[in-house]
Amino acid sequence: MSVDGTAHGPLIEPMRAAHADQVLAVYRLGIDEGQATFETTAPTWPQFDASKLPDHRHVALGTLAGMPDRILGWIAASTVSDRCAYAGVVEHSVYVHPGGRRRGVGLALLRALIASTEAAGIWTIQSGIFPENTASLALHARAGFRVIGIRERIGRHHGSWRDVVLIERRSPVVT
């Protein structure tokens, strides 16, 4: 059964070490496409694991290329600051395997993250998205994120300056 209660959507579950190879493979695909991150290589699993909040990372499982129980996508959150004033603010990343796109995977993952963060008292989820990644911007808008602004020429990526659209979702239930 999927996160939305239908038999057709992806199954969302907590990310575990057993998912490591597939999670990092999906991450590498996103890196290789060049529109998802400033990163140019995927981290090792211990690096990834140490940088993500354990209660706020999820995977979407489904059938991919005829193989069941494959990772269709993942979402994970990190702290934005060690300062106590920012205890309720996280930054997230969401990656969907090219073969899992247009199947509701991204939205299901965002909904799972929103549920886990709100249950933990987190009031803001934020992220930075390249403006060229229009699919991700549209997905986040559907999930209730808003554009805060554009950070112009914030970083270099493959020798070119890149802008980043700063987005956030403020919880209507955590105050």
Side-chain angles (χ1 to χ4, degrees):
M1 196 65 73
S2 72
V3 73
D4 62 4
T6 68
H8 297 31
L11 172 67
I12 305 298
E13 65 179 45
M15 185 187 294
R16 298 184 313 275
H19 299 129
D21 290 343
Q22 289 187 60
V23 165
L24 294 178
V26 170
Y27 194 10
R28 279 190 289 279
L29 289 169
I31 290 169
D32 292 347
E33 287 179 332
Q35 298 302 330
T37 180
F38 282 105
E39 300 300 328
T40 56
T41 59
T44 64
W45 178 254
Q47 292 168 327
F48 181 96
D49 187 47
S51 69
K52 307 300 182 198
L53 296 168
D55 295 333
H56 307 297
R57 50 188 182 182
H58 312 278
V59 295
L61 295 173
T63 301
L64 188 61
M67 296 171 41
D69 298 325
R70 303 301 298 171
I71 301 291
L72 302 177
W74 60 267
I75 194 164
S78 305
T79 58
V80 298
S81 175
D82 290 336
R83 296 177 63 197
C84 62
Y86 295 102
V89 182
V90 296
E91 183 167 11
H92 83 287
S93 298
V94 59
Y95 285 80
V96 177
H97 189 286
R101 294 180 186 154
R102 299 188 180 275
R103 294 171 57 180
V105 172
L107 189 57
L109 287 165
L110 281 168
R111 287 178 175 158
L113 179 67
I114 289 166
S116 71
T117 55
E118 286 185 340
I122 293 171
W123 59 83
T124 301
I125 305 169
Q126 69 178 36
S127 191
I129 301 173
F130 291 141
E132 297 83 3
N133 194 343
T134 56
S136 185
L137 289 168
L139 167 66
H140 283 86
R142 281 194 305 276
F145 285 75
R146 67 187 178 113
V147 172
I148 300 301
I150 297 176
R151 301 180 79 192
E152 296 176 350
R153 295 171 47 98
I154 193 68
R156 293 181 65 80
H157 185 241
H158 297 296
S160 297
W161 286 103
R162 299 290 300 263
D163 296 347
V164 169
V165 179
L166 181 61
I167 61 166
E168 74 173 16
R169 181 189 180 277
R170 293 284 178 108
S171 172
V173 296
V174 178
T175 56

